[in-house]
Amino acid sequence: MSSDQQELFALPTEYRDLQAEARDLAVSCADLAPRADEADSLDVGIRKRLQASGLARVVVPARFGGRYERVDSLAVTLVREQLAAESSHLDSLFAMQGIGSYGIAVGGSEELQREWLPRVANLGTIAALGLTEPHVGSDLKALTTTVVERDGKLVVNGHKSFITNGGDADFYCILAREGHGYSLVLVPADTPGLSTQRPHQIIAPHVLGDVILEDVEVPIGNRIGEKGKGFGLVLVTLATFRVSVAGAAVGMAEAALREAVRHANSREQFGVNLSRLGSVPEHLASSWADIEMARSLTYRAAAAAARDARGNLHLSSMAKVGATEMAARVIDRAVQIMGRFGLVRGGKLERLYREARPMRIYEGSTEVILDSLAKQLIRDQH
């Protein structure tokens, strides 16, 4: 076997170095994670450490202060795998800088890009994307938020709900109905008429808020891309970042398995080590195999998305479903192995258990993604 063949399924050195860099950041935030992961607003300490690391530059193109010429889905996925293993708050802050600003990076005017993206890259500005509404979730085309041109301005009206970074973001990229299409509009958080509320919190606390827009006026230049073409910008954002959710899920599952192995190796029951008792060895081995299978698909999908995000959305979708469902199984097994110790409030495994559940819903629920994949499979067979 040649050296090239031996490296066929190995990450190139630059990506392994990035992994190590992200792992170092995650470990450095371990002392803050229990507090930050229970917070409903941005943790100042986590923000400062992410800012000092420079890793937020991974989610912005190089010409605006980023690290890569264009956002690299594999790089984003590898970073999220490491960060999510330690802190969901850290992972979310990193990911949302990209998700909230990517529409600007690929569709915004030069003026918008130069005004906002360098500050996203250095974490001087917090980004958010406004899609979901109180009565609109997966069916985004049913949204009711509107934008119209009036007196040389764009006027936005609507209510966005369950928005990550809602209340703490410095700007929101809002998807709104405009005429017969949908436009993406950048609305700074301090614009008159924009207000935020925090009526909801989820089982794994999250920086989450509702954004209310009442006759909010912004310059026409704040429309991102062409009038009525904003839906395409949202789709390319999801295509680029969806696979990174799979990376985060793999990281969380591996963290849970480490906790389970540590516990099983240190505890004795019925005169034998727990790691050799009953079904425990099978649970451990099955979890390891599940993680490695999910990781393989995730890396493949992320590399494909880096080449052509829209063209390989099916792989990203498969990875997202496979890895998040896998994480739920592995973390549940870990709780079972640790028994009452896995249920202790405030413990790392208990945090992971709660944090894994929303991943099967946000950025495309399992059922919605599987329905889309089935339609594509059937269509492609004709």
Side-chain angles (χ1 to χ4, degrees):
M1 181 180 291
S2 69
S3 59
D4 286 346
Q5 288 173 314
Q6 290 173 357
E7 293 294 312
L8 185 59
F9 297 104
L11 288 170
T13 301
E14 64 174 303
Y15 289 114
R16 293 198 295 269
D17 290 345
L18 180 64
Q19 274 185 316
E21 189 180 341
R23 188 178 306 115
D24 287 345
L25 171 63
V27 170
S28 78
C29 291
D31 60 323
L32 303 180
R35 178 190 75 198
D37 288 0
E38 296 295 325
D40 60 4
S41 60
L42 282 180
D43 185 275
V44 174
I46 291 284
R47 180 178 181 172
K48 285 182 177 178
R49 292 184 191 180
L50 176 57
Q51 189 172 34
S53 75
L55 276 173
R57 293 172 54 230
V58 170
V59 299
V60 173
R63 70 192 189 99
F64 302 110
R67 184 170 294 195
Y68 301 99
E69 181 180 352
R70 56 195 180 101
V71 177
D72 182 328
S73 297
L74 179 56
V76 175
T77 298
L78 294 172
V79 172
R80 291 196 66 182
E81 179 184 357
Q82 300 304 318
L83 302 189
E86 200 60 62
S87 169
S88 64
H89 190 96
L90 174 62
D91 169 55
S92 176
L93 179 55
F94 167 80
M96 281 309 303
Q97 287 297 92
I99 294 169
S101 69
Y102 193 68
I104 304 171
V106 296
S109 66
E110 187 79 12
E111 182 180 354
L112 284 182
Q113 291 171 338
R114 293 199 177 281
E115 179 180 0
W116 293 100
L117 293 180
R119 287 186 278 164
V120 171
N122 66 26
L123 219 69
T125 286
I126 301 299
L129 178 64
L131 303 180
T132 307
E133 297 183 358
H135 302 291
V136 178
S138 298
D139 183 14
L140 282 179
K141 290 188 176 179
L143 60 80
T144 60
T145 299
T146 61
V147 57
V148 297
E149 288 189 32
R150 184 188 304 158
D151 300 327
K153 299 277 190 179
L154 295 177
V155 182
V156 187
N157 281 281
H159 184 164
K160 296 297 183 178
S161 185
F162 280 82
I163 303 305
T164 299
N165 289 345
D168 282 0
D170 294 295
F171 70 88
Y172 300 90
C173 290
I174 299 291
L175 185 66
R177 189 181 295 273
E178 184 172 21
H180 297 295
Y182 304 83
S183 293
L184 197 62
V185 180
L186 189 152
V187 183
D190 59 1
T191 306
L194 185 151
S195 61
T196 60
Q197 302 172 349
R198 284 185 168 148
H200 310 288
Q201 190 47 272
I202 59 176
I203 59 174
H206 194 64
V207 183
L208 202 66
D210 281 22
V211 181
I212 296 93
L213 306 114
E214 298 176 309
D215 288 328
V216 171
E217 294 186 357
V218 296
I220 288 179
N222 279 32
R223 185 191 288 117
I224 302 170
E226 297 178 37
K227 177 178 179 179
K229 302 295 184 181
F231 209 81
L233 295 174
V234 171
L235 289 179
V236 77
T237 297
L238 295 177
T240 300
F241 287 91
R242 174 174 283 171
V243 68
S244 73
V245 181
V250 169
M252 291 169 58
E254 185 157 27
L257 181 58
R258 282 199 298 267
E259 291 290 303
V261 170
R262 179 192 56 76
H263 178 83
N265 277 336
S266 63
R267 189 163 176 79
E268 187 175 294
Q269 292 286 287
F270 303 104
V272 298
N273 191 282
L274 183 59
S275 63
R276 301 307 308 158
L277 182 66
S279 62
V280 172
E282 180 183 348
H283 284 330
L284 294 173
S286 294
S287 295
W288 186 17
D290 284 350
I291 291 169
E292 290 303 327
M293 285 190 289
R295 178 181 281 119
S296 294
L297 175 57
T298 296
Y299 287 8
R300 179 194 169 200
R307 294 190 303 271
D308 178 3
R310 288 289 295 271
N312 290 292
L313 180 57
H314 62 295
L315 289 177
S316 294
S317 296
M318 290 175 195
K320 197 272 183 181
V321 168
T324 56
E325 294 292 333
M326 174 280 297
R329 294 193 304 273
V330 167
I331 295 171
D332 188 69
R333 286 185 199 130
V335 171
Q336 198 70 15
I337 290 167
M338 292 180 65
R340 66 184 186 273
F341 299 102
L343 301 173
V344 174
R345 187 76 170 90
K348 182 166 185 178
L349 192 55
E350 182 263 352
R351 289 204 330 264
L352 288 168
Y353 189 85
R354 288 185 288 118
E355 289 159 2
R357 189 59 186 88
M359 300 180 86
R360 296 158 62 195
I361 295 174
Y362 71 71
E363 289 197 44
S365 71
T366 293
E367 293 76 13
V368 169
I369 290 176
L370 289 177
D371 182 66
S372 295
L373 286 171
K375 289 176 180 175
Q376 181 176 346
L377 177 64
I378 293 167
R379 183 175 65 249
D380 289 349
Q381 296 302 310
H382 281 282

Coordinates of all heavy atoms in Angstrom, one line a residue, residues 59-123:
V59 N -15.2 31.1 10.3 CA -16.6 31.1 9.7 C -16.8 32.4 8.9 O -17.9 32.7 8.5 CB -17.7 31.1 10.8 CG1 -17.6 29.7 11.6 CG2 -17.6 32.2 11.8
V60 N -15.7 33.1 8.6 CA -15.8 34.3 7.7 C -14.7 34.2 6.6 O -13.6 33.7 6.8 CB -15.5 35.6 8.6 CG1 -15.4 36.8 7.7 CG2 -16.6 35.7 9.6
P61 N -15.0 34.6 5.4 CA -14.1 34.5 4.3 C -12.8 35.4 4.6 O -12.9 36.4 5.2 CB -14.8 35.1 3.1 CG -16.3 34.9 3.4 CD -16.4 35.0 4.9
A62 N -11.7 35.0 4.0 CA -10.4 35.6 4.3 C -10.4 37.1 4.0 O -9.8 37.8 4.7 CB -9.3 34.8 3.6
R63 N -11.0 37.5 2.9 CA -10.9 38.9 2.6 C -11.6 39.8 3.5 O -11.4 41.1 3.4 CB -11.3 39.1 1.1 CG -12.8 39.0 0.8 CD -13.0 39.0 -0.7 NE -14.4 39.1 -1.1 CZ -15.0 40.2 -1.5 NH1 -14.3 41.3 -1.5 NH2 -16.2 40.2 -1.8
F64 N -12.3 39.3 4.4 CA -13.0 40.1 5.5 C -12.5 39.7 6.9 O -13.2 39.9 7.9 CB -14.5 39.9 5.4 CG -15.1 40.3 4.0 CD1 -15.6 39.3 3.2 CD2 -15.0 41.6 3.6 CE1 -16.1 39.6 1.9 CE2 -15.5 41.9 2.3 CZ -16.0 41.0 1.5
G65 N -11.3 39.2 6.9 CA -10.7 38.9 8.2 C -10.8 37.5 8.6 O -10.4 37.1 9.7
G66 N -11.3 36.6 7.7 CA -11.4 35.2 8.0 C -10.1 34.4 7.8 O -9.1 34.9 7.4
R67 N -10.2 33.1 8.0 CA -9.0 32.3 8.0 C -8.9 31.6 6.6 O -7.8 31.4 6.1 CB -9.1 31.2 9.1 CG -7.9 30.3 9.1 CD -7.8 29.4 10.3 NE -7.7 30.2 11.6 CZ -7.4 29.6 12.7 NH1 -7.1 28.3 12.8 NH2 -7.3 30.3 13.8
Y68 N -10.0 31.2 6.0 CA -9.9 30.5 4.7 C -10.5 31.4 3.6 O -11.3 32.3 3.8 CB -10.7 29.2 4.7 CG -10.2 28.3 5.8 CD1 -10.8 28.2 7.0 CD2 -9.1 27.5 5.5 CE1 -10.3 27.3 8.0 CE2 -8.6 26.6 6.5 CZ -9.2 26.5 7.8 OH -8.8 25.7 8.7
E69 N -10.1 31.2 2.3 CA -10.6 32.0 1.2 C -12.1 32.0 1.2 O -12.7 33.1 1.0 CB -10.1 31.4 -0.1 CG -10.5 32.2 -1.3 CD -10.0 31.6 -2.6 OE1 -9.1 30.6 -2.6 OE2 -10.4 32.1 -3.7
R70 N -12.7 30.9 1.4 CA -14.2 30.9 1.6 C -14.5 29.9 2.8 O -13.6 29.1 3.1 CB -14.9 30.5 0.3 CG -14.5 29.1 -0.2 CD -15.1 29.0 -1.7 NE -14.7 27.7 -2.3 CZ -15.5 26.7 -2.4 NH1 -16.7 26.8 -1.9 NH2 -15.1 25.6 -2.9
V71 N -15.6 30.0 3.4 CA -16.0 29.2 4.5 C -15.9 27.8 4.2 O -16.5 27.3 3.2 CB -17.4 29.6 5.1 CG1 -17.7 28.7 6.3 CG2 -17.4 31.1 5.5
D72 N -15.1 27.0 5.0 CA -14.8 25.6 4.7 C -15.7 24.8 5.7 O -15.5 24.8 6.9 CB -13.3 25.4 4.9 CG -12.9 23.9 4.7 OD1 -13.7 23.0 4.9 OD2 -11.7 23.7 4.3
S73 N -16.7 24.0 5.1 CA -17.6 23.2 6.0 C -16.8 22.2 6.8 O -17.2 21.9 7.9 CB -18.6 22.5 5.1 OG -19.4 23.5 4.4
L74 N -15.8 21.6 6.3 CA -15.0 20.6 7.0 C -14.3 21.3 8.2 O -14.3 20.8 9.3 CB -14.0 19.9 6.1 CG -13.2 18.8 6.8 CD1 -14.0 17.8 7.5 CD2 -12.2 18.2 5.8
A75 N -13.7 22.4 8.0 CA -13.1 23.1 9.1 C -14.1 23.5 10.2 O -13.8 23.3 11.4 CB -12.4 24.4 8.6
V76 N -15.2 24.0 9.8 CA -16.3 24.4 10.8 C -16.7 23.1 11.6 O -16.9 23.2 12.8 CB -17.5 25.0 10.1 CG1 -18.6 25.3 11.1 CG2 -17.1 26.3 9.4
T77 N -16.9 22.0 10.9 CA -17.4 20.8 11.5 C -16.3 20.3 12.5 O -16.7 19.8 13.6 CB -17.6 19.7 10.4 OG1 -18.7 20.2 9.5 CG2 -18.0 18.4 11.0
L78 N -15.1 20.3 12.1 CA -14.0 19.8 13.0 C -13.9 20.7 14.3 O -13.7 20.1 15.4 CB -12.7 19.8 12.3 CG -12.6 18.8 11.1 CD1 -11.3 19.0 10.4 CD2 -12.6 17.4 11.6
V79 N -14.1 22.0 14.1 CA -14.0 22.8 15.3 C -15.2 22.6 16.2 O -15.1 22.4 17.4 CB -14.0 24.3 14.9 CG1 -14.2 25.2 16.1 CG2 -12.7 24.7 14.2
R80 N -16.4 22.4 15.6 CA -17.6 22.2 16.5 C -17.5 20.9 17.2 O -18.0 20.7 18.3 CB -18.9 22.3 15.6 CG -19.2 23.7 15.1 CD -20.6 23.8 14.6 NE -21.6 23.6 15.7 CZ -22.9 23.6 15.5 NH1 -23.4 23.7 14.3 NH2 -23.7 23.5 16.5
E81 N -16.9 19.9 16.6 CA -16.8 18.6 17.2 C -16.0 18.7 18.5 O -16.4 18.1 19.6 CB -16.0 17.6 16.3 CG -15.8 16.2 16.9 CD -15.0 15.3 16.0 OE1 -14.6 15.7 14.9 OE2 -14.7 14.2 16.4
Q82 N -15.0 19.5 18.5 CA -14.2 19.7 19.7 C -14.9 20.6 20.8 O -14.9 20.3 22.0 CB -12.8 20.3 19.4 CG -12.0 19.4 18.4 CD -11.8 18.0 19.0 OE1 -11.5 17.8 20.2 NE2 -11.9 17.0 18.1
L83 N -15.5 21.7 20.3 CA -16.1 22.6 21.2 C -17.3 22.0 21.9 O -17.5 22.2 23.1 CB -16.5 23.9 20.5 CG -15.4 24.7 19.8 CD1 -15.9 26.0 19.3 CD2 -14.1 24.9 20.6
A84 N -18.1 21.3 21.2 CA -19.4 20.8 21.7 C -19.1 19.7 22.8 O -19.9 19.4 23.6 CB -20.3 20.2 20.6
A85 N -17.9 19.0 22.7 CA -17.6 18.0 23.6 C -17.4 18.6 25.0 O -17.5 17.9 26.0 CB -16.3 17.3 23.2
E86 N -17.2 19.9 25.1 CA -16.9 20.6 26.4 C -18.0 21.5 26.8 O -18.4 21.6 28.0 CB -15.6 21.3 26.3 CG -15.0 21.6 27.7 CD -14.7 20.3 28.5 OE1 -13.9 19.5 28.0 OE2 -15.3 20.2 29.6
S87 N -18.5 22.3 25.8 CA -19.5 23.3 26.2 C -20.4 23.6 25.0 O -20.0 24.1 24.0 CB -18.8 24.6 26.6 OG -19.7 25.7 26.7
S88 N -21.7 23.4 25.2 CA -22.7 23.8 24.1 C -22.8 25.3 23.9 O -23.1 25.7 22.8 CB -24.1 23.2 24.5 OG -24.6 23.8 25.7
H89 N -22.5 26.0 25.0 CA -22.6 27.5 24.9 C -21.4 28.0 24.0 O -21.7 28.8 23.1 CB -22.4 28.1 26.3 CG -22.7 29.6 26.3 ND1 -23.9 30.1 26.7 CD2 -21.9 30.6 26.1 CE1 -23.9 31.4 26.7 NE2 -22.7 31.8 26.3
L90 N -20.3 27.4 24.2 CA -19.1 27.8 23.3 C -19.4 27.4 21.9 O -19.1 28.1 21.0 CB -17.9 27.1 23.9 CG -16.6 27.2 23.1 CD1 -16.1 28.6 23.0 CD2 -15.5 26.3 23.7
D91 N -19.9 26.2 21.7 CA -20.2 25.6 20.4 C -21.2 26.5 19.6 O -21.0 26.9 18.5 CB -20.7 24.2 20.5 CG -21.2 23.7 19.1 OD1 -20.5 23.7 18.1 OD2 -22.4 23.3 19.1
S92 N -22.2 26.9 20.3 CA -23.3 27.7 19.7 C -22.8 29.1 19.3 O -23.1 29.6 18.3 CB -24.5 27.9 20.7 OG -25.5 28.7 20.2
L93 N -22.0 29.7 20.2 CA -21.4 31.0 19.9 C -20.6 31.0 18.7 O -20.7 31.9 17.8 CB -20.6 31.5 21.1 CG -20.0 32.9 21.0 CD1 -21.0 34.0 20.6 CD2 -19.3 33.3 22.3
F94 N -19.7 30.0 18.6 CA -18.9 29.8 17.4 C -19.7 29.6 16.1 O -19.5 30.3 15.1 CB -17.9 28.7 17.6 CG -17.2 28.2 16.3 CD1 -16.1 28.9 15.9 CD2 -17.7 27.1 15.6 CE1 -15.5 28.5 14.7 CE2 -17.1 26.7 14.4 CZ -16.0 27.4 14.0
A95 N -20.6 28.7 16.2 CA -21.4 28.3 15.0 C -22.3 29.5 14.5 O -22.4 29.7 13.3 CB -22.3 27.1 15.3
M96 N -22.9 30.2 15.4 CA -23.9 31.2 15.0 C -23.2 32.4 14.4 O -23.8 33.2 13.7 CB -24.7 31.7 16.2 CG -25.9 30.7 16.5 SD -26.9 30.3 15.1 CE -27.4 31.9 14.6
Q97 N -21.9 32.6 14.7 CA -21.2 33.7 14.0 C -21.2 33.5 12.5 O -21.3 34.4 11.7 CB -19.8 33.9 14.5 CG -19.6 34.5 15.9 CD -20.1 35.9 16.0 OE1 -21.3 36.1 16.3 NE2 -19.3 36.8 15.7
G98 N -21.1 32.2 12.1 CA -21.1 31.8 10.7 C -22.5 31.8 10.2 O -22.8 32.3 9.1
I99 N -23.4 31.1 10.9 CA -24.8 30.9 10.4 C -25.5 32.3 10.3 O -26.2 32.5 9.3 CB -25.6 30.0 11.4 CG1 -25.0 28.6 11.3 CG2 -27.1 29.9 11.0 CD1 -25.5 27.6 12.4
G100 N -25.2 33.2 11.2 CA -25.9 34.5 11.2 C -25.4 35.4 10.2 O -26.1 36.4 9.8
S101 N -24.1 35.2 9.7 CA -23.5 36.2 8.8 C -23.3 35.6 7.4 O -22.9 36.4 6.5 CB -22.2 36.6 9.4 OG -21.2 35.5 9.4
Y102 N -23.5 34.3 7.2 CA -23.1 33.7 5.9 C -23.9 34.3 4.7 O -23.3 34.5 3.6 CB -23.3 32.2 5.9 CG -22.7 31.5 4.8 CD1 -21.3 31.5 4.7 CD2 -23.4 30.9 3.8 CE1 -20.7 30.8 3.6 CE2 -22.8 30.2 2.7 CZ -21.4 30.2 2.7 OH -20.8 29.6 1.6
G103 N -25.1 34.7 4.9 CA -25.9 35.3 3.8 C -25.2 36.6 3.4 O -25.2 36.9 2.2
I104 N -24.6 37.4 4.3 CA -23.9 38.6 4.0 C -22.7 38.2 3.1 O -22.3 38.9 2.2 CB -23.5 39.4 5.2 CG1 -24.7 39.7 6.1 CG2 -22.8 40.7 4.8 CD1 -24.4 40.3 7.4
A105 N -22.0 37.2 3.6 CA -20.7 36.8 2.9 C -20.9 36.4 1.5 O -20.1 36.7 0.6 CB -20.1 35.7 3.7
V106 N -22.1 35.7 1.2 CA -22.3 35.2 -0.2 C -23.2 36.1 -1.0 O -23.2 36.0 -2.2 CB -22.8 33.8 -0.2 CG1 -21.8 32.9 0.4 CG2 -24.1 33.7 0.5
G107 N -24.0 37.0 -0.4 CA -25.0 37.7 -1.1 C -25.0 39.2 -0.8 O -25.7 40.0 -1.5
G108 N -24.3 39.7 0.2 CA -24.4 41.1 0.6 C -23.5 42.0 -0.3 O -22.6 41.5 -1.0
S109 N -23.9 43.2 -0.3 CA -23.1 44.2 -1.1 C -21.7 44.3 -0.4 O -21.5 44.0 0.7 CB -23.8 45.6 -1.0 OG -23.8 46.1 0.3
E110 N -20.8 44.9 -1.2 CA -19.4 45.1 -0.7 C -19.5 46.0 0.6 O -18.7 45.8 1.5 CB -18.6 45.8 -1.8 CG -17.1 45.9 -1.4 CD -16.3 44.6 -1.6 OE1 -16.8 43.7 -2.2 OE2 -15.2 44.6 -1.1
E111 N -20.4 46.9 0.5 CA -20.5 47.9 1.7 C -20.9 47.1 2.9 O -20.3 47.3 4.0 CB -21.5 49.0 1.4 CG -21.6 50.0 2.5 CD -22.6 51.1 2.2 OE1 -23.1 51.1 1.0 OE2 -22.9 51.9 3.0
L112 N -21.9 46.3 2.8 CA -22.4 45.5 4.0 C -21.3 44.5 4.5 O -21.1 44.4 5.7 CB -23.7 44.7 3.6 CG -25.0 45.4 3.6 CD1 -26.1 44.5 3.3 CD2 -25.3 46.2 4.9
Q113 N -20.7 43.9 3.5 CA -19.6 42.9 3.9 C -18.5 43.6 4.6 O -18.1 43.1 5.7 CB -19.1 42.3 2.6 CG -20.1 41.3 1.9 CD -19.6 40.9 0.6 OE1 -18.8 41.5 -0.1 NE2 -20.1 39.7 0.1
R114 N -18.1 44.7 4.2 CA -16.9 45.4 4.8 C -17.3 46.0 6.2 O -16.5 46.2 7.1 CB -16.3 46.5 3.9 CG -15.7 45.9 2.7 CD -14.7 46.8 2.0 NE -14.1 46.2 0.8 CZ -13.1 45.3 0.9 NH1 -12.6 45.0 2.1 NH2 -12.5 44.8 -0.1
E115 N -18.6 46.4 6.3 CA -19.1 47.0 7.6 C -19.2 45.9 8.7 O -18.8 46.2 9.8 CB -20.4 47.7 7.3 CG -20.9 48.3 8.6 CD -22.3 49.0 8.4 OE1 -22.8 49.0 7.3 OE2 -22.8 49.6 9.4
W116 N -19.7 44.7 8.3 CA -20.1 43.8 9.3 C -19.2 42.6 9.5 O -18.9 42.1 10.6 CB -21.5 43.3 9.1 CG -22.5 44.4 9.3 CD1 -23.1 45.1 8.3 CD2 -23.0 44.9 10.5 NE1 -24.0 46.0 8.8 CE2 -24.0 45.9 10.2 CE3 -22.8 44.5 11.8 CZ2 -24.7 46.6 11.1 CZ3 -23.5 45.2 12.8 CH2 -24.4 46.3 12.5
L117 N -18.6 42.0 8.4 CA -17.9 40.7 8.5 C -16.6 40.8 9.3 O -16.3 39.9 10.0 CB -17.7 40.2 7.1 CG -19.0 39.8 6.4 CD1 -18.7 39.2 5.0 CD2 -19.8 38.7 7.2
P118 N -15.8 41.8 9.1 CA -14.6 41.9 10.0 C -14.9 41.8 11.5 O -14.2 41.2 12.2 CB -13.9 43.2 9.6 CG -14.4 43.4 8.2 CD -15.8 43.0 8.2
R119 N -16.0 42.5 11.9 CA -16.4 42.5 13.3 C -17.0 41.1 13.7 O -16.8 40.7 14.9 CB -17.4 43.6 13.6 CG -16.7 45.0 13.5 CD -17.7 46.0 13.9 NE -18.6 46.4 12.9 CZ -19.7 47.1 13.0 NH1 -20.1 47.4 14.2 NH2 -20.5 47.4 12.0
V120 N -17.6 40.4 12.8 CA -18.0 39.0 13.1 C -16.8 38.1 13.3 O -16.7 37.3 14.2 CB -18.9 38.5 11.9 CG1 -19.1 37.0 12.1 CG2 -20.2 39.2 11.8
A121 N -15.8 38.3 12.4 CA -14.6 37.5 12.5 C -13.8 37.7 13.8 O -13.3 36.7 14.4 CB -13.6 37.8 11.3
N122 N -13.8 38.9 14.3 CA -13.0 39.2 15.6 C -13.9 39.1 16.8 O -13.5 39.5 17.9 CB -12.2 40.5 15.5 CG -13.1 41.7 15.4 OD1 -14.2 41.7 15.8 ND2 -12.5 42.8 14.8
L123 N -15.2 38.7 16.6 CA -16.2 38.6 17.7 C -16.5 39.9 18.3 O -17.0 40.0 19.5 CB -15.7 37.6 18.7 CG -16.8 36.7 19.3 CD1 -17.3 35.7 18.2 CD2 -16.3 35.8 20.4

